[in-house]
């Protein structure tokens, strides 16, 4: 379906819309459409962001609680270096402005009043930091011969993982722990600990070494490097 402008909708972007002299704020996006359920709205926003930011990959997530709807655009990859806080904020505003075009907001901060069709958030996922670190030249590169999906099928209870590198001060560095259970979202290790599976883009395995990226703005190349010790290995 082709989006059409809502009659009377604002031609300004959300971030460009001012409060009036009485503290009232009113915004209705030109792509707002009444009656959209959350999944339909998320799909429309996801397609729109793909068009507006063709070099950026997003994961669109939804939350619903206490009659509140929220849509999150998680940034997985973009060519821009968003390490600096100002660069992050500028990009977040640009993304949220496009998301807000699908909704409406009415508020008055002086009267503690706020209502909107949905809340939106833009944020950086760990996959973004993994991609940035790879462009800069990552430490402990591991050739991705075994995909995350294949690793989940091959890893078994009784195998072990030895943590051979990690951020400074990691308490488990150098330890070897047996895998006691393989679940869809994580591995249960002996000693009542677990290892969550990351997104596929933050995972690399060559059949022996497993690299899991968990970077942040403070350390984009942060990662865990494990040696995969198979129980049935000859």
């Amino acid at each position: 379906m082709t989006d059409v402008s809502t009659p009377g909708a604002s031609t300004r972007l959300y971030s460009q819309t001012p409060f009036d002299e009485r503290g009232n704020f009113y915004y209705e996006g030109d792509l707002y459409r009444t009656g959209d359920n959350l999944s339909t709205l998320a799909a429309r926003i996801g397609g729109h962001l793909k068009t507006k930011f063709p070099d950026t990959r997003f994961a669109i997530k939804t939350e619903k609680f206490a009659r509140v709807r929220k849509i999150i655009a998680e940034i997985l990859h973009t060519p821009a270096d968003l390490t600096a806080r100002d660069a992050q904020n500028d990009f977040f505003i640009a993304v949220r402005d496009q998301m807000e075009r699908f909704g409406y907001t009415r508020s008055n901060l002086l009267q503690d009043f706020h209502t909107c069709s949905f809340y939106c958030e833009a944020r950086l996922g760990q996959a973004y930091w993994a991609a940035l670190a790879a462009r800069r030249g990552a430490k402990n590169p591991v050739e991705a011969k075994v995909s995350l999906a294949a690793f989940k099928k091959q890893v078994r209870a009784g195998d072990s993982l030895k943590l051979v590198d990690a951020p400074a001060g990691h308490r488990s560095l150098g330890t070897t722990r047996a895998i006691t259970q393989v679940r869809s979202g994580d591995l249960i290790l002996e000693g009542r600990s677990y290892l969550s599976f990351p997104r596929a883009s933050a995972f690399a395995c060559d059949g022996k070494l497993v690299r899991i990226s968990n970077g942040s703005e403070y350390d984009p190349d942060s990662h865990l490097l494990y040696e995969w010790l198979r129980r049935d290995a000859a």
Side-chain angles (χ1 to χ4, degrees):
M1 176 179 291
T2 301
D3 287 316
V4 295
S5 296
T6 302
S10 174
T11 56
R12 290 175 170 172
L13 293 173
Y14 185 89
S15 65
Q16 300 168 344
T17 304
F19 287 84
D20 68 17
E21 66 279 1
R22 296 183 178 180
N24 295 304
F25 179 88
Y26 174 76
Y27 177 84
E28 183 175 309
D30 59 309
L31 301 180
Y32 172 63
R33 194 168 66 194
T34 60
D36 278 348
N37 61 36
L38 189 57
S39 59
T40 298
L41 186 58
R44 292 179 65 214
I45 289 175
H48 179 73
L49 292 180
K50 185 176 181 180
T51 300
K52 296 296 292 187
F53 303 94
D55 296 328
T56 300
R57 288 191 294 109
F58 296 92
I60 305 299
K61 301 180 179 181
T62 62
E63 296 178 356
K64 192 172 184 179
F65 48 92
R67 300 175 65 182
V68 172
R69 305 191 301 177
K70 184 175 183 179
I71 298 178
I72 302 165
E74 186 174 280
I75 300 157
L76 305 181
H77 171 77
T78 192
D81 185 339
L82 302 179
T83 305
R85 185 55 61 104
D86 287 346
Q88 286 183 36
N89 290 337
D90 289 346
F91 195 70
F92 291 164
I93 289 171
V95 172
R96 289 198 304 267
D97 271 343
Q98 295 303 318
M99 298 173 73
E100 293 284 5
R101 291 175 64 188
F102 291 82
Y104 71 82
T105 298
R106 297 177 179 85
S107 67
N108 187 303
L109 296 180
L110 301 178
Q111 300 175 8
D112 195 25
F113 168 77
H114 182 90
T115 182
C116 61
S117 54
F118 67 93
Y119 290 91
C120 69
E121 178 186 355
R123 68 189 185 198
L124 294 170
Q126 286 188 344
Y128 168 79
W129 300 114
L132 178 62
R135 294 200 302 271
R136 291 178 171 180
K139 178 185 176 184
N140 295 323
V142 173
E143 187 176 357
K145 293 182 179 180
V146 180
S147 68
L148 177 59
F151 177 76
K152 289 181 179 181
K153 293 180 180 179
Q154 295 177 27
V155 68
R156 296 284 186 271
D159 292 354
S160 297
L161 291 175
K162 179 180 180 180
L163 185 59
V164 296
D165 203 357
H170 197 291
R171 63 181 183 179
S172 298
L173 185 61
T175 63
T176 301
R177 290 180 174 172
I179 298 169
T180 61
Q181 187 179 357
V182 180
R183 304 191 299 190
S184 60
D186 57 22
L187 299 174
I188 305 300
L189 307 175
E190 63 179 347
R192 296 184 178 180
S193 63
Y194 67 94
L195 177 65
S196 296
F197 292 126
R199 286 188 172 274
S201 55
F203 177 90
C205 177
D206 62 7
K208 180 178 180 180
L209 295 175
V210 175
R211 189 183 195 278
I212 296 177
S213 299
N214 56 4
S216 69
E217 60 189 297
Y218 306 105
D219 183 7
D221 193 34
S222 178
H223 62 277
L224 302 173
L225 184 69
Y226 289 94
E227 183 180 0
W228 180 14
L229 305 171
R230 308 195 198 200
R231 179 185 59 182
D232 298 330

